[in-house]
Amino acid sequence: MFLDFTEGHWIDLYSVLWPENTLPPLQMRTMAGDLDDPSKLPNDVPNLKSHSPTFFVRLIAAWIAMGFRRPKIDYVNGVLDISGK
């Protein structure tokens, strides 16, 4: 599963779908302030209440490295059925 933000230059990939031993190391958690009890999160990386300036700097740096382009997702076909039937 992934999210393609139509006007964005990033794709979210869910870690459980990565092949074993290929997931990049976790660097930070964002939006932990939305959790009912963020104190239950481990302290192995920063648990940020929202997006940090560092997060946005890294996001923009990645976009610059991509030549201000966004990835073309042309290999996903079909319609997402959220009816639960």
Side-chain angles (χ1 to χ4, degrees):
M1 179 188 300
F2 66 85
L3 299 174
D4 177 20
F5 292 90
T6 304
E7 299 301 323
H9 63 277
W10 63 90
I11 300 171
D12 291 339
L13 299 172
Y14 290 82
S15 63
V16 297
L17 300 177
W18 285 60
E20 192 168 336
N21 299 321
T22 63
L23 182 65
L26 181 63
Q27 297 174 351
M28 71 177 84
R29 292 181 186 90
T30 60
M31 306 307 292
D34 288 343
L35 296 172
D36 289 334
D37 185 6
S39 69
K40 292 183 179 180
L41 293 173
N43 289 323
D44 53 345
V45 295
N47 297 314
L48 307 174
K49 290 184 179 182
S50 63
H51 296 301
S52 70
T54 302
F55 173 83
F56 284 109
V57 167
R58 294 180 77 176
L59 195 62
I60 292 169
W63 194 26
I64 291 168
M66 294 169 58
F68 296 102
R69 293 183 307 248
R70 57 180 292 269
K72 183 175 174 89
I73 307 297
D74 59 359
Y75 49 84
V76 177
N77 297 310
V79 177
L80 179 62
D81 178 9
I82 58 171
S83 68
K85 296 180 183 177

